[in-house]
Amino acid sequence: MPRLLLITASSPEIQQVRRSRVLNFQQITMPYLAARVPPDWHVTHVDEEAEKLDWNIEADLVGITFHTPSANHAYHLAAHFRSRGACVAMGGPHVTLLPEEAGRHADVIFIGEAEGLWEEFLQGFVAGAYHRVYRQTGAPSLERAPMARKALFHRNDHTSGVLFATRGCPNHCDFCTVAVMYRDGLRKRPIAEVAAECASFQGKVIIFWDDNITADRAYAKELFRAIAPCQKWWSSQAGIHAGRDDELLEAAASSGCKQLFLGLESISQSSMGEVHKGFNRVEEYARIIKRIHGHGIAVQAGMVFGFDHDTHEIFKDTLDFLEETGVQNATFNILTPYPGTPLFRRLEGEGRILTRDWPKYNSRTEVVYQPKQMSTAELIAGFRYANERFYSLPSMARRLARSPVQIWWTLPLNLAYGWRALAEAT
Ligand code: SF4
């Protein structure tokens, strides 16, 4: 029986940056891939966000997926398991963005989505004849995708209900790896299959791992109506266009949507234009947040600092805006030009990439490029100010008092983010 070890790699450095279990949701790539492994294989999954890897574990084949900040760590893992005689296959965002680099550390790499190619490779592995590179040239069908193997999940708490309905996004924001990973734009699973997987979870809370679940509004409305009978509470990422459509918001709320993560990114329209996200109309933000709140749905705002149009004022102005509009949660990030993105190419062309030390590409503790209108130290200081002010007790109290959803949904996240902000400040 072939022994397959799947690793969702997370370096010690990135675990230190993330710090809180509340903020780390169950990862799904490997449980979904495991569902495509023949039944006569012995499969183990280690999600380093959730548990320690036993480096002495015996495996014939090791599959590793990782993001850029964990790349060096993943290469270290690969060297270790190769030295023990295992075949190491790598895939995921960083491999797709930089296949030549990843290929130097693995026996096999997957460029792009693995479905279809993965099954072909496993057959070849058993037969002793497989390729070094599996490159996805089309868009694999999402129909009849097997449900993720829940037995390989490492979480049994409120975040253990995870799945996806759509993959990719029709937009092409310069800084976004999604647009590079899924070049075919938005693809959707059959709604009945998503509803069945949603209903298969025991717990009440569901996280849709979609990058933009409302990108196709007609599909989203149909999906929300289909999952309503499951009576779950759910959250996902959405574009701000969701907030322009009351029918969509009504369908979302009726199906148990408790919170939408909105990639607002910046309150500077010039910055949005700069990174090809001009469809985010800043003048609409307050109206959209109010409308979403009106449907009883909390808003988590994704904000980024460090665009070329950002000046010193951006930090205070952003915080004033977020507090005035009463968003329940916010995720602040330092702009990070991931390799392979248009943003990286532009900054590289301008000689502004400061380092290729991948652990520094964590969006929280380091600035990896030269900002235009401030120093790297000022950008980090502004980022810390934003976290500390937003997650201060007075700010939390003011914002959560106006929350459209019950406090048990918003308070744990606020406390987790607040704790992390405090830890970063010390
Ligand atoms: S809308 Fe969001 S997911 Fe889509 S390309 Fe832009 S940043 Fe990426």
Side-chain angles (χ1 to χ4, degrees):
M1 177 182 279
R3 297 161 301 178
L4 169 62
L5 168 62
L6 297 171
I7 304 174
T8 301
S10 180
S11 69
E13 294 89 354
I14 202 73
Q15 288 176 39
Q16 180 68 12
V17 167
R18 287 175 174 258
R19 289 173 193 265
S20 169
R21 271 181 67 79
V22 176
L23 306 179
N24 296 335
F25 296 109
Q26 172 69 50
Q27 300 294 309
I28 56 170
T29 300
M30 289 312 198
Y32 270 114
L33 273 190
R36 294 171 180 270
V37 177
D40 58 337
W41 286 60
H42 180 267
V43 185
T44 312
H45 174 219
V46 177
D47 177 352
E48 290 191 291
E49 293 281 352
E51 64 173 353
K52 277 217 170 314
L53 172 70
D54 174 2
W55 290 62
N56 293 316
I57 198 166
E58 296 290 339
D60 304 302
L61 174 62
V62 178
I64 308 176
T65 185
F66 55 98
H67 290 271
T68 296
S70 293
N72 295 358
H73 170 66
Y75 299 153
H76 187 42
L77 288 173
H80 171 77
F81 284 105
R82 289 175 90 187
S83 75
R84 291 168 59 90
C87 171
V88 171
M90 285 180 163
H94 189 77
V95 177
T96 298
L97 297 171
L98 284 182
E100 284 176 15
E101 176 190 288
R104 291 196 290 274
H105 299 273
D107 298 294
V108 178
I109 57 166
F110 287 82
I111 304 171
E113 296 164 76
E115 285 99 340
L117 300 175
W118 173 242
E119 295 92 314
E120 183 189 323
F121 162 62
L122 293 179
Q123 271 183 11
F125 181 80
V126 171
Y130 52 86
H131 303 295
R132 277 211 21 90
V133 178
Y134 289 83
R135 183 188 296 271
Q136 191 66 258
T137 49
S141 169
L142 300 183
E143 286 184 20
R144 293 187 290 282
M147 291 185 196
R149 275 174 66 171
K150 295 181 185 65
L152 298 179
F153 283 12
H154 291 284
R155 302 199 63 152
N156 296 308
D157 56 13
H158 62 288
T159 65
S160 61
V162 289
L163 74 162
F164 77 102
T166 66
R167 190 175 281 172
C169 175
N171 304 311
H172 295 92
C173 309
D174 278 2
F175 56 85
C176 183
T177 54
V178 171
V180 182
M181 281 284 293
Y182 308 114
R183 292 179 190 279
D184 290 288
L186 182 76
R187 281 143 57 225
K188 297 157 278 188
R189 289 177 72 188
I191 284 174
E193 293 179 21
V194 181
E197 185 158 11
C198 185
S200 73
F201 290 101
Q202 300 287 322
K204 184 79 175 161
V205 177
I206 296 288
I207 306 294
F208 282 97
W209 264 114
D210 298 47
D211 299 303
N212 187 348
I213 199 168
T214 57
D216 179 332
R217 281 190 270 169
Y219 172 87
K221 287 173 197 174
E222 206 185 319
L223 172 69
F224 300 158
R225 288 173 190 133
I227 63 170
C230 303
Q231 299 193 318
K232 304 288 190 189
W233 294 324
W234 65 268
S235 175
S236 190
Q237 302 188 82
I240 68 160
H241 59 275
R244 298 181 187 127
D245 187 333
D246 277 315
E247 189 189 351
L248 176 76
L249 293 173
E250 175 54 37
S254 301
S255 67
C257 178
K258 293 293 171 193
Q259 177 164 289
L260 288 175
F261 180 105
L262 297 185
L264 300 183
E265 323 298 0
S266 177
I267 59 163
S268 158
Q269 191 63 52
S270 306
S271 294
M272 291 293 79
E274 166 193 321
V275 291
H276 293 120
K277 198 163 184 175
F279 54 85
N280 265 18
R281 305 299 308 170
V282 171
E283 67 196 19
E284 278 185 302
Y285 282 5
R287 201 160 56 242
I288 277 173
I289 291 166
K290 191 171 176 194
R291 190 179 260 176
I292 295 173
H293 282 166
H295 285 273
I297 298 171
V299 171
Q300 175 157 2
M303 308 304 299
V304 177
F305 296 120
F307 295 110
D308 282 357
H309 285 84
D310 285 354
T311 61
H312 300 92
E313 287 80 44
I314 193 69
F315 306 107
K316 179 178 180 303
D317 291 350
T318 300
L319 268 291
D320 289 348
F321 166 80
L322 294 173
E323 290 181 344
E324 274 162 28
T325 50
V327 304
Q328 281 65 51
N329 290 293
T331 305
F332 302 102
N333 283 307
I334 295 170
L335 183 67
T336 301
Y338 288 102
T341 60
L343 177 65
F344 186 94
R345 285 195 292 277
R346 175 167 71 79
L347 293 175
E348 189 178 41
E350 294 170 5
R352 293 167 60 194
I353 296 294
L354 299 176
T355 177
R356 288 166 192 263
D357 187 10
W358 304 136
K360 292 184 173 166
Y361 281 60
N362 63 41
S363 305
R364 296 193 67 80
T365 61
E366 305 279 348
V367 179
V368 299
Y369 69 102
Q370 183 56 56
K372 203 153 202 172
Q373 306 208 51
M374 61 185 93
S375 67
T376 56
E378 286 166 326
L379 179 47
I380 290 177
F383 164 81
R384 287 193 177 149
Y385 156 82
N387 276 287
E388 286 165 29
R389 176 172 154 186
F390 191 80
Y391 290 109
S392 65
L393 288 177
S395 178
M396 273 194 237
R398 271 198 308 277
R399 289 182 292 100
L400 298 193
R402 295 156 60 194
S403 175
V405 295
Q406 294 92 333
I407 197 94
W408 52 259
W409 184 279
T410 49
L411 186 61
L413 274 178
N414 268 265
L415 291 176
Y417 279 115
W419 180 75
R420 182 167 73 173
L422 199 65
E424 281 172 352
T426 54

